[in-house]
Amino acid sequence: MEKVIIDTDPGVDDAMAVLYACISPDIELMGLTSIFGNVTTEIATRNALALLELAGVSAPVARGAEKPLVQDQREPAWEVHGREGFGDVPPMSPKKQAVEESAAEFICRVVNEIPGEIILCPVGPLTNIALALRHDPSIASKVKGVTIMGGSIDEGGNVTPYAEANIWQDPHAADEVFAADWPITLVGLDVTHRVICTPEDFKSLTDDAPKLGGFLNDAAQFYFQFHRKVDGIYGCHMHDPTAVISILHPELFDVDHQPLEVIVEGEEIGRTILSRKEDRRSFSVFRKVNVDGVREEFLSMIKSGF
Ligand code: BDR
Ligand code: CA
């Protein structure tokens, strides 16, 4: 059983990742922390609370940063995830509220309470994670792991020719996170662009798990349209669920060990590159993926829900 905190900007594929974690018997979801990116932090917080309520999971939600560390805030990814984050699904009104601690305070407290046990899984911009490191640098030696959906080594970007969206939204935060001495696993576009689910896959979720699968199918329709228009693919990229699945199933990935840094200015801002800086430690960087293995794990887990 892995104890996981997901830092998220929900977001259609974020919803897939969070519901996978809620259903999996091998993940104890210790909390969600919210961040801007696909939507504003306010909407991300509401959507995080709504996902837990939908799944009947009572984990806490801590509200994250409102803006990037250094650069001006970029527009949320409305065109990818819709104005409210879950495509055309109308906004939900969760009953619970976020805890009083900030996301960074929450992360530091929980990591310190059970050192060696927490896996952080950021699937949005890395602002909260960088702020947590600033708040208490000792968490670097106390986490079990940091599994990041973000970046791209050979695949190019998805918001510019160079940059992946999560890194591009706060490149300075990402570079601080990559400069720390802790065990990162990078799940970037090199693998997440390979993992595609089709409208038929999502329809089958509705049939087998009407509540959670049905919700994901409804939310995914807008996301499918975006992928059809912009990427010319029939289906959608499974970015964030691939990251969560990799925590339980690292055997589905080929890994390299490399130090990383982020370009923080100029035309290539937000690009993730292999670092030559001597003080950077090597991280696990996923380069290849067993596509069918990840797809089947996702679909069968959601179908085992309700
Ligand atoms: C990442 O950006 C967001 O749009 C997705 O939720 C995912 O985390 C993919 O680049
Ligand atoms: Ca995300």
Side-chain angles (χ1 to χ4, degrees), residues 91-266:
M92 294 181 264
S93 308
K95 292 190 190 71
K96 280 176 67 174
Q97 295 195 335
V99 297
E100 285 196 357
E101 288 169 306
S102 70
E105 289 164 348
F106 174 80
I107 288 169
C108 292
R109 179 177 57 76
V110 177
V111 168
N112 275 292
E113 275 169 12
I114 39 173
E117 293 197 39
I118 295 289
I119 296 179
L120 300 177
C121 185
V123 294
L126 291 165
T127 321
N128 291 335
I129 309 302
L131 289 172
L133 274 172
R134 287 182 182 186
H135 184 68
D136 180 358
S138 81
I139 63 167
S141 62
K142 295 177 185 156
V143 294
K144 182 171 180 186
V146 187
T147 296
I148 297 173
M149 191 285 125
S152 166
I153 306 298
D154 293 326
E155 180 66 9
N158 60 354
V159 280
T160 74
Y162 311 102
E164 182 280 326
N166 289 339
I167 306 297
W168 182 75
Q169 288 269 3
D170 195 345
H172 301 86
D175 197 55
E176 281 191 28
V177 170
F178 293 154
D181 180 9
W182 58 351
I184 288 177
T185 300
L186 194 80
V187 188
L189 299 181
D190 303 271
V191 290
T192 67
H193 264 177
R194 306 280 95 72
V195 185
I196 293 169
C197 279
T198 65
E200 286 74 26
D201 290 332
F202 276 80
K203 170 75 174 57
S204 74
L205 296 182
T206 305
D207 297 339
D208 290 3
K211 189 169 180 195
L212 301 185
F215 164 76
L216 289 179
N217 183 42
D218 291 346
Q221 298 309 311
F222 187 96
Y223 199 49
F224 287 137
Q225 279 170 30
F226 168 80
H227 283 82
R228 199 169 304 139
K229 229 173 20 200
V230 175
D231 296 317
I233 63 167
Y234 182 70
C236 64
H237 293 129
M238 304 292 287
H239 301 290
D240 294 352
T242 300
V244 177
I245 288 169
S246 79
I247 293 171
L248 298 180
H249 295 286
E251 77 281 0
L252 296 173
F253 299 83
D254 285 358
V255 65
D256 274 357
H257 298 280
Q258 287 153 334
L260 298 170
E261 68 180 90
V262 176
I263 295 182
V264 294
E265 56 192 8

Side-chain angles (χ1 to χ4, degrees), residues 9 14 38 123 240:
D9 57 339
D14 301 74
N38 294 330
V123 294
D240 294 352

Side-chain angles (χ1 to χ4, degrees), residues 8-16 18-19 38-39 43-44 46-51 54 80-92 215-223:
T8 175
D9 57 339
V12 178
D13 63 321
D14 301 74
M16 301 173 192
V18 169
L19 293 185
N38 294 330
V39 288
I43 296 180
R46 180 201 68 198
N47 286 356
L49 289 161
L51 287 172
L54 192 70
V80 189
H81 300 269
R83 281 271 153 187
E84 303 290 342
F86 298 145
D88 288 325
V89 174
M92 294 181 264
F215 164 76
L216 289 179
N217 183 42
D218 291 346
Q221 298 309 311
F222 187 96
Y223 199 49

Side-chain angles (χ1 to χ4, degrees), residues 23-102:
I23 296 168
S24 171
D26 297 319
I27 291 179
E28 183 179 355
L29 190 59
M30 304 300 287
L32 299 178
T33 50
S34 62
I35 190 66
F36 60 86
N38 294 330
V39 288
T40 61
T41 302
E42 185 174 1
I43 296 180
T45 308
R46 180 201 68 198
N47 286 356
L49 289 161
L51 287 172
L52 295 181
E53 208 162 288
L54 192 70
V57 168
S58 65
V61 172
R63 184 175 175 130
E66 307 291 329
K67 57 184 178 62
L69 295 186
V70 176
Q71 74 180 12
D72 288 343
Q73 184 144 28
R74 300 185 187 276
E75 273 251 297
W78 311 121
E79 73 291 356
V80 189
H81 300 269
R83 281 271 153 187
E84 303 290 342
F86 298 145
D88 288 325
V89 174
M92 294 181 264
S93 308
K95 292 190 190 71
K96 280 176 67 174
Q97 295 195 335
V99 297
E100 285 196 357
E101 288 169 306
S102 70

